[in-house]
Amino acid sequence: MNLGMKPSSFTTSSNSWKSTDVVLDQFPVGLRVLVVDDDPTCLRILEKMLRNCLYEVDLISEIGIFCSLVFEILSFVSFTKCNRAEIALRLLRDNRNGYDVVISDVHMPDMDGFKLLEHIGLEMDLPVIMMSADDSKDVVMKGVTHGACDYLIKPVRMEALKNIWQHVVRKKKHEWKEKEYQQSGGSVEEGERQQQKQPSEDVDYSSSANEGNWKNSKKRKDEEDESEDRDDTSSLKKPRVVWSVELHQQFVTAVNQLGIDKAVPKKILELMNVPGLTRENVASHLQKYRLYLRRLSGVSPHQNGFMGPTDAATFGPISSINGFDLQALAASGQLPPQSLATIQAAALGGGRGATTSKSSSPIPPLVVDQRNIFSFENHPRQQNIINGGKQVNLLHGIPTNMDSKQLVNLHQSAAQSFTNNMSQSNNSLLAHMVQPHPRTHILNNEINGTHVSVVHGTAYNNSVSNPSTATVDFSSRSQSTELPVNNSFAHVSSNSGMSNLTSKLQEEVNSGTRGGFVPNYDVFNDLNQNQNRGAHDWGGLQSSVGSSNIQQRLGGVSSSVLVRPNGFSTNQKSGPLNSSSLTTDNSLSRIKTEKLPDMGFQNGLYHEQFGQEDLMSALLKQQEGMGPVENEFGFDGGYHLDNLPV
Amino acid sequence: GYLDEQFIQLEDLQDEANPNFVEEVVKLFYTDSARLLRKIDLALDDRPFDFEKLDDVMHQFMGSSSSIGAKRVQRKCTEFQEYSKDGNFEGCTRTFQEVKHEYATLKKKLENYFQLAKVAR
């Protein structure tokens, strides 16, 4: 069969690609597709179809403007000794920028298509298209939740292939935008450097605008990643600044030194003296921090009562696990830091909008928040770095009973020790709470393979279908943030090894690898979206948004936390998926509404932790809309509705 | 009709550069499907009966046949899958025989078709 057919690749030169430009009205030239399928017949047909597109493009290319399509098709035949999907992964890893899009079959003997999808999403920011002869809704849903950009039904038609470039463009465009945001503060040189580097790699073809842009943005991201003064074990492009615990501590110290009123980003930046940190990063982080503080002060004191001893108990292990996981994850380097960031951001932002692709379901912000808080409190900030698929294994296995109590606890603890002593319980609480988030967050990240780019100050209106950016835009506070968060969440969950964030969604998303933590980011997203419309109630609903979404999505998951803040009708609006669960959740959430303040707090907390502006805003937004997020996602650990601290 | 529009799509893909594309694909299909069919045969003889595996293999086979547009074969496969999902062994074996039958018929017809096509050229 065709093992590793490598058509000559005509990489484009560095034509700068403006996001608004669409180079071709047909197939974009230079699209490099990797097809993974165990069926040789199908492979051959796909190859021919793709090449045919190339052929068409070739005609155009005679003008000398466009590059030809390049694709590599790997045929994984059953009698091949090695692991075919592994081959695909290896190929992709070796050629980080070698492919623009991956088309993968769902059912493969050596590796589950969804797992591959997750890996790819996690490790490389590539759009992945699933295909199968199976067109049953739940399988398609699974693909979507795992972060697939698209799902094609076999037999694959030519027209379907003609459209795959849209996903690539969309993704790149998003990344590009985020990069712009990120770099506007100042890593411009990097970008430029990258740009210059770009041509060197290209073969002598003039690149299409798209191609150039893709490359540029990819490069830029890579550069950015490298410049981060973080332990990014993975070399994935992550434009986000990961606000590790240490970094945040530095930040807080600087802020306290200056006085919260006088703290301006420029001065903070100077005080912090962290290389590679831009004023914008600080500004967005500061914004989140301010929100967090506001939330803290706005939270009613009664929350304190909720935290029960159980929480501490649970949290203890959680936090330790989290820390452990994070480190492990970080070490594994599989999970791009951005995922981590995303997760955190998601946690912070309540997982809003971080939907990278249409597939990724919104991760409940709560999860992210928790994560953020957790990571925040836990010094092993590696969380941010979570590399590899295990990112969110933070709370793996820990029955996170994120009920309102916990939230309250968390909140309170967070409030008390926001910057300093993250007591163990806090950590655990946070961790506990964070669990769902990071998972989802990661999922999103991974699934969507997008970075959680921190879009500073941008109104995060990520449509769910925006696959590339799981950016939570905290600063913008727009509701749109949901999407980014969700995306990130989706990614998160898709990462194999993601910790089991409770929610069922997670499970679904994580093709079973995780402990089922996958919060229903989708739900969350929907929820958030709905909620965002309504409620930006900073007062404390924020946190709930995320979680409620998640829970709702979970449907059967014991997402009892749909705490609907009083007066918030967002829950109702949660996505269609969970209409039924919604109702139950709603009732639950009502009970928990009071707990909201916790969530708000948490969200705020998360914000702090995750310097990802996007996430934070998303999270915040979500929080606003939602009641306390008691992520009672169908954790494997046994999150159940029972957790409702009534 | 034994073949549907998908087959026409394949023919459309055929061009000057690949004059035998369709035939090539079909040959690939033969090889691969022969292997799959054999697998199913063995699985049907296997005890205890593994419906899931059957369903899996049949799914692959169905994917291939749909790729070349083998409509009838594909339909039979779907039938088979329904039986295997229900855990109906009798239904599976019976349907599988029908699948094989359809497959054989299709093969023959395709051979005729290609021969005619060659003559026509």
Side-chain angles (χ1 to χ4, degrees):
Chain A
M1 299 301 181
N2 323 313
L3 215 359
M5 287 193 310
K6 276 184 186 234
S8 46
S9 63
F10 310 113
T11 53
T12 58
S13 61
S14 53
N15 282 348
S16 62
W17 179 72
K18 296 182 186 72
S19 56
T20 52
D21 286 359
V22 176
V23 178
L24 300 175
D25 50 0
Q26 293 192 47
F27 243 86
V29 292
L31 190 69
R32 295 153 303 174
V33 183
L34 175 66
V35 182
V36 183
D37 194 342
D38 63 329
D39 181 0
T41 318
C42 185
L43 274 176
R44 183 77 183 86
I45 296 175
L46 272 179
E47 177 206 2
K48 190 66 174 61
M49 283 184 180
L50 290 168
R51 283 192 193 279
N52 261 19
C53 296
L54 166 64
Y55 185 66
E56 294 173 44
V57 174
D58 256 349
L59 293 177
I60 304 174
S61 71
E62 283 173 358
I63 307 177
I65 303 179
F66 307 104
C67 297
S68 50
L69 257 168
V70 173
F71 37 92
E72 321 227 354
I73 300 180
L74 292 185
S75 158
F76 296 121
V77 188
S78 57
F79 47 73
T80 307
K81 300 242 166 43
C82 25
N83 194 334
R84 297 166 257 170
E86 292 298 332
I87 296 179
L89 271 179
R90 208 183 326 137
L91 252 186
L92 285 167
R93 285 190 191 122
D94 292 344
N95 306 296
R96 275 295 151 92
N97 288 338
Y99 300 98
D100 294 312
V101 62
V102 178
I103 303 180
S104 170
D105 187 32
V106 169
H107 296 101
M108 288 188 293
D110 66 335
M111 185 192 272
D112 183 26
F114 294 117
K115 269 221 212 118
L116 182 67
L117 167 60
E118 292 170 9
H119 279 310
I120 296 176
L122 264 180
E123 302 183 22
M124 308 131 216
D125 198 10
L126 287 180
V128 182
I129 296 172
M130 304 299 293
M131 62 177 176
S132 177
D134 188 355
D135 62 349
S136 52
K137 196 167 169 210
D138 44 333
V139 180
V140 179
M141 186 62 190
K142 201 174 171 193
V144 168
T145 51
H146 278 67
C149 284
D150 204 353
Y151 191 103
L152 308 176
I153 309 288
K154 284 187 186 174
V156 181
R157 294 180 322 281
M158 190 75 168
E159 309 88 66
L161 290 182
K162 285 204 173 135
N163 290 331
I164 64 175
W165 65 272
Q166 293 178 16
H167 301 293
V168 186
V169 172
R170 203 179 297 127
K171 209 164 184 148
K172 292 275 193 275
K173 192 171 170 179
H174 220 288
E175 291 174 353
W176 178 271
K177 251 199 192 149
E178 292 176 5
K179 271 191 147 243
E180 282 177 357
Y181 274 116
Q182 295 229 325
Q183 296 186 344
S184 58
S187 333
V188 180
E189 283 114 32
E190 285 176 7
E192 287 168 352
R193 233 179 307 136
Q194 287 174 356
Q195 297 246 1
Q196 285 156 23
K197 271 172 45 176
Q198 191 79 33
S200 60
E201 301 184 359
D202 298 337
V203 183
D204 40 333
Y205 282 76
S206 51
S207 57
S208 66
N210 284 346
E211 184 71 12
N213 188 49
W214 297 328
K215 288 193 151 83
N216 286 343
S217 52
K218 267 194 173 167
K219 288 254 147 66
R220 190 162 313 135
K221 282 211 207 114
D222 289 337
E223 288 262 10
E224 256 192 29
D225 289 342
E226 290 157 17
S227 69
E228 298 279 349
D229 59 338
R230 235 161 271 295
D231 258 1
D232 293 347
T233 48
S234 85
S235 56
L236 294 180
K237 19 188 204 271
K238 291 172 300 278
R240 238 173 242 270
V241 170
V242 175
W243 281 89
S244 68
V245 174
E246 297 89 27
L247 196 66
H248 180 79
Q249 286 294 349
Q250 273 181 283
F251 171 81
V252 175
T253 314
V255 168
N256 290 337
Q257 241 178 287
L258 295 167
I260 188 67
D261 293 332
K262 291 217 184 67
V264 284
K266 190 145 185 267
K267 294 216 181 99
I268 299 175
L269 186 64
E270 286 167 13
L271 272 180
M272 284 177 72
N273 194 21
V274 171
L277 197 63
T278 68
R279 194 203 67 83
E280 265 141 23
N281 297 141
V282 175
S284 59
H285 193 73
L286 176 66
Q287 190 173 23
K288 292 181 206 154
Y289 183 66
R290 287 219 181 97
L291 286 170
Y292 161 76
L293 292 179
R294 204 186 310 152
R295 240 200 318 265
L296 284 187
S297 57
V299 174
S300 69
H302 72 271
Q303 299 162 357
N304 295 332
F306 288 103
M307 281 289 271
T310 47
D311 298 329
T314 5
F315 296 139
I318 297 177
S319 45
S320 46
I321 294 181
N322 270 336
F324 175 77
D325 284 335
L326 287 178
Q327 304 190 5
L329 288 174
S332 56
Q334 292 180 357
L335 203 55
Q338 41 186 337
S339 321
L340 182 46
T342 322
I343 298 180
Q344 295 184 343
L348 285 178
R352 255 176 298 145
T355 47
T356 47
S357 62
K358 24 190 199 210
S359 57
S360 50
S361 47
I363 298 182
L366 183 58
V367 175
V368 178
D369 284 343
Q370 296 175 348
R371 199 157 199 304
N372 287 331
I373 296 184
F374 177 76
S375 56
F376 205 66
E377 322 235 77
N378 293 322
H379 287 279
R381 199 57 194 194
Q382 288 104 355
Q383 297 177 354
N384 293 329
I385 309 190
I386 292 188
N387 299 314
K390 311 305 173 124
Q391 248 182 1
V392 191
N393 277 321
L394 294 181
L395 305 173
H396 189 86
I398 295 187
T400 54
N401 299 319
M402 305 277 320
D403 45 35
S404 52
K405 282 190 200 166
Q406 297 174 353
L407 291 179
V408 177
N409 269 348
L410 190 57
H411 178 76
Q412 301 194 336
S413 346
Q416 291 152 17
S417 54
F418 181 84
T419 48
N420 305 319
N421 14 318
M422 290 300 207
S423 58
Q424 189 60 15
S425 58
N426 276 346
N427 288 344
S428 47
L429 181 53
L430 288 176
H432 203 59
M433 300 212 286
V434 172
Q435 283 181 359
H437 283 295
R439 253 316 199 119
T440 49
H441 182 80
I442 296 180
L443 270 180
N444 276 332
N445 280 333
E446 299 170 355
I447 292 180
N448 298 316
T450 59
H451 304 294
V452 178
S453 28
V454 180
V455 181
H456 181 62
T458 48
Y460 205 80
N461 295 308
N462 286 333
S463 53
V464 177
S465 58
N466 188 353
S468 52
T469 46
T471 50
V472 175
D473 185 6
F474 289 98
S475 45
S476 55
R477 307 290 162 77
S478 56
Q479 304 180 345
S480 52
T481 47
E482 298 174 347
L483 288 178
V485 175
N486 289 328
N487 284 332
S488 54
F489 286 113
H491 280 294
V492 170
S493 41
S494 55
N495 288 332
S496 50
M498 300 280 301
S499 57
N500 302 319
L501 287 182
T502 53
S503 61
K504 249 196 225 169
L505 181 57
Q506 221 177 24
E507 287 174 357
E508 294 165 12
V509 177
N510 301 324
S511 46
T513 47
R514 324 254 175 114
F517 176 71
V518 182
N520 289 319
Y521 288 122
D522 288 321
V523 178
F524 202 69
N525 233 344
D526 290 345
L527 214 51
N528 286 334
Q529 289 167 358
N530 289 328
Q531 297 184 352
N532 281 342
R533 312 288 149 98
H536 283 278
D537 180 1
W538 285 103
L541 294 178
Q542 299 159 359
S543 51
S544 56
V545 172
S547 53
S548 20
N549 276 335
I550 299 180
Q551 294 179 350
Q552 296 190 349
R553 286 282 169 166
L554 292 182
V557 177
S558 54
S559 51
S560 52
V561 183
L562 276 193
V563 181
R564 270 270 114 229
N566 297 321
F568 271 86
S569 56
T570 48
N571 279 337
Q572 278 45 344
K573 297 197 224 140
S574 58
L577 284 181
N578 307 316
S579 38
S580 52
S581 57
L582 260 183
T583 26
T584 28
D585 286 336
N586 281 337
S587 49
L588 284 175
S589 56
R590 297 221 198 242
I591 298 175
K592 296 196 188 221
T593 345
E594 302 181 329
K595 314 271 171 97
L596 264 193
D598 299 332
M599 297 310 301
F601 168 82
Q602 291 172 355
N603 289 330
L605 197 55
Y606 293 118
H607 283 290
E608 310 306 330
Q609 303 186 350
F610 292 107
Q612 331 251 317
E613 283 113 344
D614 308 293
L615 286 177
M616 281 189 36
S617 17
L619 189 55
L620 286 176
K621 290 210 183 56
Q622 286 180 338
Q623 295 178 351
E624 291 173 9
M626 311 199 55
V629 184
E630 309 206 335
N631 298 325
E632 318 227 317
F633 306 101
F635 244 143
D636 278 347
Y639 248 144
H640 301 291
L641 292 174
D642 306 324
N643 288 336
L644 293 180
V646 180
Chain B
Y2 284 88
L3 296 164
D4 62 15
E5 321 79 48
Q6 177 67 14
F7 193 74
I8 310 235
Q9 281 222 358
L10 293 191
E11 299 213 299
D12 284 343
L13 288 176
Q14 189 159 290
D15 53 23
E16 292 290 320
N18 300 70
N20 299 318
F21 175 69
V22 187
E23 209 176 340
E24 187 189 333
V25 173
V26 171
K27 287 215 177 90
L28 267 179
F29 171 68
Y30 289 158
T31 322
D32 195 48
S33 51
R35 176 183 60 88
L36 290 171
L37 289 173
R38 219 181 314 130
K39 242 174 144 180
I40 299 181
D41 255 331
L42 290 173
L44 282 171
D45 288 336
D46 232 1
R47 294 290 175 279
F49 209 55
D50 189 353
F51 282 109
E52 208 179 305
K53 179 173 170 199
L54 271 187
D55 191 64
D56 229 19
V57 182
M58 182 49 87
H59 180 82
Q60 289 183 43
F61 179 68
M62 190 171 77
S64 303
S65 17
S66 65
S67 294
I68 67 163
K71 189 162 61 163
R72 286 170 74 121
V73 175
Q74 192 187 349
R75 272 207 229 109
K76 278 293 167 196
C77 292
T78 318
E79 245 185 76
F80 179 93
Q81 283 199 305
E82 282 170 21
Y83 284 121
S84 72
K85 283 199 178 78
D86 289 339
N88 184 342
F89 180 73
E90 280 301 319
C92 283
T93 14
R94 192 173 13 103
T95 320
F96 184 59
Q97 297 308 316
E98 293 169 12
V99 168
K100 281 202 283 194
H101 175 74
E102 289 290 347
Y103 175 74
T105 319
L106 174 75
K107 210 166 167 183
K108 224 179 343 154
K109 291 209 180 275
L110 279 175
E111 278 172 18
N112 291 344
Y113 173 80
F114 286 126
Q115 283 195 5
L116 284 174
K118 281 208 182 81
V119 168
R121 276 194 223 139

